[in-house]
Amino acid sequence: MQLSIIVIGDELLLGQVTDTNSGEIARHIAPYGWEVNDVQSVGDEAHEIRRAIDRAFELSDVVITTGGLGPTKDDITKTVLRDYFGGELIEDPEVLANVKNVVSSKGFKLNDLTAAQAIVPSSCRVIQNRVGTAPIMWFERDGKVLVAMPGVPFETREMFQSEVFPQLREKFHTDVDIEHAVLMVTDYTESGLAEYIAEWEEAIPPHLHLAYLPKPGLIRLRIDGSHPDKDFITSEVRRAATELNLMLGDAVIATEDLTPAQILLKECGRRGLTLASAESCTGGNIAHELTLIPGSSEVFVGSVVSYSNDVKTGVLGVNPETLAANGAVSLPVVREMAEGVLRVTGARVAVATSGIAGPGGGTEEKPVGTVCIAAAMRTEEGMILCEAETYRFAGTRSRVIESATTRALIKAIKLLRNV
């Protein structure tokens, strides 16, 4: 099943806001055999919105719009949809009650503009927005559906996953069963991985499909299968995943759709180990990725963001002579950082980073993108095992930080699994 998305708002075309809703929707529907076949971005202009709807309905039976449902005068989507599908604008008492509840739960006072969110086209069926004031509107015509959703990413994500998509799946039910498996793969570039498994990929049957979903330092391999026989396709997907897992060996760090941070927390938790980070160039981003995960406090004890050399020596206990002899971006320094944060926090596992994220600061010997990473573990006998390596990451400052964060987490995962 395919759907089209229309993203509405002048702020998108001006570059003031980035569309993340389309990606969220696409990622959520893919495991169910649905896919996004078209995305349009339009401003708050009635003619452009109507033209986008016409085009979307030519391509798909399901259209999702996001944005343009706010309480201000520039948000005209509701009026355009009333004109497109007919009916009149009426105040819905259930929507008004929901708006009042949402506003009061946030500690705000209801004003006239926000109360006007309860005015909706009579031609729609309302899905109450539990996390925002803009009602979700479901329109139908000639067997096709348009669902108008708010542009706020949190609201779109929560309501699409919990309410809108389940209702779409129920309406557009198919007897084909969809199964999938995921392998999280590291140590390969996308092209290198494709080349390595090319022969295997060429031989997969037509009811299976392999997708490469790369991020810096990591590739998510997703195997999708579709077939009317659930038992058959489940078996086929599992067989394919097992074959790939055996082929790729230690490069597979998980057979679930997990982030490196989730994998590391799970690995530490399984072993009863605590975790800490000592970060220079990543500036606390490793700690950020870990603490985004619910329950991380059971494993992660803390971080030292040792951006300056004084903090490296004064807090982590890095030897000044080590710094003087090797520089902050060096393997000896990150080893001492990792060992130091084990000592300071009492954690059993640690990662440390020190590098040059750019755009300045590079040298011929250590160009921008050079990052030294260490992973350390204190054994029950008190021995410290430490592995460190120097990496070269390409891209912008934020890209280097993201790549270094991912690699540090993976390095710790591999250290634990090799003990």
Side-chain angles (χ1 to χ4, degrees):
M1 188 69 188
Q2 295 183 327
L3 62 80
S4 293
I5 298 174
I6 304 171
V7 185
I8 302 169
D10 290 338
E11 64 278 11
L12 291 154
L13 300 183
L14 294 171
Q16 296 172 338
V17 173
T18 301
D19 169 36
T20 59
N21 289 326
S22 299
E24 285 281 354
I25 291 171
R27 281 188 292 273
H28 184 73
I29 67 177
Y32 299 92
W34 287 52
E35 61 183 23
V36 173
N37 72 338
D38 186 63
V39 178
Q40 302 176 73
S41 294
V42 298
D44 294 299
E45 205 283 317
H47 173 70
E48 294 300 325
I49 296 172
R50 285 194 294 268
R51 188 165 68 174
I53 295 173
D54 285 338
R55 169 183 161 82
F57 273 141
E58 288 177 2
L59 298 171
S60 309
D61 289 338
V62 177
V63 177
I64 304 292
T65 71
T66 69
L69 300 181
T72 55
K73 291 182 179 179
D74 61 327
D75 289 311
I76 62 170
T77 302
K78 189 185 299 184
T79 303
V80 173
L81 292 173
R82 185 275 314 271
D83 294 341
Y84 194 94
F85 289 97
E88 58 184 339
L89 291 174
I90 59 173
E91 182 176 275
D92 187 317
E94 292 184 3
V95 175
L96 182 58
N98 183 70
V99 170
K100 288 179 178 179
N101 181 60
V102 170
V103 170
S104 64
S105 69
K106 295 179 179 180
F108 297 122
K109 184 178 179 180
L110 183 68
N111 58 41
D112 291 342
L113 281 176
T114 305
Q117 294 281 53
I119 298 175
V120 298
S122 59
S123 50
C124 79
R125 174 172 67 85
V126 171
I127 298 175
Q128 300 295 350
N129 183 353
R130 294 178 285 97
V131 292
T133 59
I136 296 162
M137 297 174 290
W138 178 297
F139 298 87
E140 293 194 29
R141 176 188 287 176
D142 300 328
K144 298 189 176 187
V145 170
L146 182 147
V147 183
M149 302 195 67
V152 180
F154 167 73
E155 296 180 27
T156 298
R157 180 177 65 250
E158 292 295 315
M159 295 306 299
F160 183 82
Q161 294 181 9
S162 64
E163 297 288 344
V164 173
F165 189 53
Q167 293 184 38
L168 287 172
R169 290 184 66 206
E170 184 176 350
K171 180 173 179 59
F172 296 94
H173 177 72
T174 174
D175 290 330
V176 175
D177 192 75
I178 307 295
E179 298 295 331
H180 68 278
V182 171
L183 279 71
M184 308 302 290
V185 182
T186 186
D187 299 335
Y188 283 93
T189 63
E190 184 180 5
S191 59
L193 178 59
E195 187 175 84
Y196 182 71
I197 64 173
E199 186 176 340
W200 179 90
E201 189 174 1
E202 288 173 3
I204 61 175
H207 50 262
L208 297 180
H209 175 260
L210 182 67
Y212 297 77
L213 305 169
K215 293 184 68 176
L218 192 67
I219 299 171
R220 182 159 59 110
L221 275 183
R222 192 184 70 223
I223 305 166
D224 295 310
S226 59
H227 197 274
D229 188 329
K230 178 178 175 61
D231 291 339
F232 170 77
I233 199 62
T234 298
S235 174
E236 282 288 277
V237 170
R238 287 177 180 171
R239 175 188 61 77
T242 299
E243 290 175 356
L244 270 182
N245 199 4
L246 289 172
M247 285 179 64
L248 296 172
D250 290 342
V252 177
I253 60 170
T255 54
E256 300 174 81
D257 193 356
L258 302 173
T259 66
Q262 289 173 312
I263 298 167
L264 179 56
L265 287 173
K266 188 174 181 179
E267 193 73 29
C268 287
R270 184 176 66 83
R271 297 165 180 256
L273 303 174
T274 50
L275 172 67
S277 67
E279 306 185 50
S280 185
C281 65
T282 48
N285 197 53
I286 294 171
H288 170 69
E289 289 294 319
L290 291 166
T291 55
L292 281 174
I293 300 165
S296 57
S297 59
E298 296 178 10
V299 171
F300 185 65
V301 298
S303 176
V304 176
V305 180
S306 53
Y307 212 62
S308 74
N309 287 348
D310 288 343
V311 177
K312 290 181 179 69
T313 57
V315 177
L316 293 176
V318 174
N319 190 329
E321 294 181 1
T322 305
L323 273 166
N326 301 280
V329 183
S330 65
L331 297 181
V333 167
V334 287
R335 286 192 184 97
E336 291 190 20
M337 288 171 62
E339 293 172 7
V341 81
L342 288 177
R343 182 176 59 256
V344 169
T345 64
R348 292 279 304 280
V349 180
V351 292
T353 61
S354 185
I356 306 164
T363 66
E364 185 175 343
E365 182 184 354
K366 299 176 182 179
V368 169
T370 302
V371 182
C372 296
I373 298 174
M377 174 184 175
R378 188 174 63 249
T379 67
E380 292 183 359
E381 297 77 22
M383 289 181 55
I384 293 181
L385 307 175
C386 186
E387 295 181 358
E389 192 170 349
T390 300
Y391 298 88
R392 301 281 192 272
F393 300 119
T396 61
R397 181 180 181 85
S398 60
R399 180 84 172 197
V400 170
I401 291 171
E402 181 184 2
S403 298
T405 297
T406 299
R407 178 49 58 182
L409 294 165
I410 291 172
K411 193 160 193 65
I413 293 165
K414 292 199 168 190
L415 175 67
L416 290 177
R417 291 184 177 175
N418 290 332
V419 172

